Amino acid sequence: MSSLADRLDAAARDAVAIPQIVSAAGVDAEGAYTVQEQVVARRLARGERLVGIKLGLTSRAKMAQVGVDEVIWGRLTDAMAVADAATVDISRLIHPRVEPEVAFLLDASGDPTAVAPALEIIDSRYADFKFSLADVIADNSSAAAFAIGSWQPLPDGLDNLGVLLEVDGRVVQIGSTAAILGDPRRALQEARRLVTVPAEAGWILLAGAASAAVPLAKGAYVRAVVEGLGTVAVRAS
Ligand code: OOG
Ligand code: MG
């Protein structure tokens, strides 16, 4: 298990893709979460700090894009956070993609205190962005970076807000928050059901992408718009 974690950690640090070593080793989803914990432990040992949780594959569009149809989760660290409107260095990523999300700010009981539009940059450590369920779980659910817009008070309804993803001012994905588990607030229940790490006050929960992800190229200016919640943007360099 720990040698699998070492190889995934090295793939991320060297930005060199590896084969699907976790499924090849016969590790199941539960074992893959142990590998994920070990992969993230290596980041924490280098001084990073946990700042929240991401859910993945919470929309049909995402499940279809990667060919895995179960909701997964991963760990977010402070080193993955990019400020809204800032430049994100993608030169150390293998084949980054970007996707529009909704983020919740949590209290110590895991209840939401605010909501914001978000962008997630994912980067599979596997060749050709191809993996099975156990592979992607062990790879910290492809987490690489994320940006959060301005936190907003929780509105009455979050279940049918329009979502746009723009690259260089052109709309590349159109969707609705309804694509996220029918209502992104269900992400809070899914997190309670699945996540084995207790939430801490001030943690972020990424609810998962509302649309398929798109490739992220150097120089691109990417913006997500979530109706009623505002915008969030990053420039890739
Ligand atoms: C897995 C991560 C999925 C999401 O929002 O659905 C994810 C992947 O697509 O590589 O972050
Ligand atoms: Mg995501």
Side-chain angles (χ1 to χ4, degrees):
M1 293 279 211
S2 71
S3 71
L4 295 174
D6 283 334
R7 289 185 64 192
L8 279 160
D9 183 50
R13 295 177 77 187
D14 303 341
V16 176
I18 56 172
Q20 297 174 41
I21 53 173
V22 178
S23 54
V27 175
D28 64 6
E30 197 188 333
Y33 278 112
T34 303
V35 179
Q36 178 191 120
E37 188 179 357
Q38 295 169 346
V39 169
V40 176
R42 283 154 179 70
R43 299 181 70 122
L44 303 182
R46 292 193 289 271
E48 295 180 32
R49 189 169 51 82
L50 285 183
V51 295
I53 295 295
K54 63 166 282 181
L55 290 189
L57 312 182
T58 52
S59 65
R60 299 298 322 167
K62 282 291 309 186
M63 287 179 174
Q65 183 174 35
V66 300
V68 175
D69 60 1
E70 279 189 56
V71 175
I72 57 177
W73 63 278
R75 291 150 159 104
L76 301 174
T77 76
D78 59 342
M80 301 174 188
V82 180
D84 185 11
T87 296
V88 52
D89 179 6
I90 61 166
S91 63
R92 302 297 300 157
L93 300 181
I94 301 167
H95 35 207
R97 294 177 177 177
V98 64
E99 53 192 23
E101 304 221 4
V102 168
F104 292 99
L105 190 60
L106 304 180
D107 66 16
S109 343
D111 290 324
T113 58
V115 63
L119 282 169
E120 187 181 23
I121 297 172
I122 52 174
D123 191 33
S124 177
R125 268 54 70 166
Y126 301 109
D128 305 319
F129 227 109
K130 289 209 163 63
F131 43 72
S132 72
L133 176 66
D135 295 307
V136 67
I137 289 170
D139 186 24
N140 198 21
S141 296
S142 309
F146 65 92
I148 311 274
S150 303
W151 292 112
Q152 307 293 325
L154 291 161
D156 289 339
L158 266 181
D159 58 325
N160 195 12
L161 306 176
V163 177
L164 295 181
L165 180 67
E166 298 170 0
V167 176
D168 297 327
R170 289 215 316 269
V171 175
V172 293
Q173 293 286 349
I174 299 179
S176 160
T177 54
I180 305 166
L181 298 167
D183 182 332
R185 284 172 297 197
R186 294 220 176 93
L188 298 152
Q189 285 142 262
E190 282 296 281
R192 282 188 205 287
R193 188 172 70 84
L194 296 170
V195 177
T196 52
V197 206
E200 290 179 25
W203 270 22
I204 290 157
L205 175 67
L206 287 182
S211 74
V214 302
L216 179 61
K218 275 189 195 172
Y221 179 76
V222 184
R223 193 168 82 119
V225 184
V226 181
E227 182 189 352
L229 298 184
T231 67
V232 53
V234 296
R235 181 173 298 279
S237 73

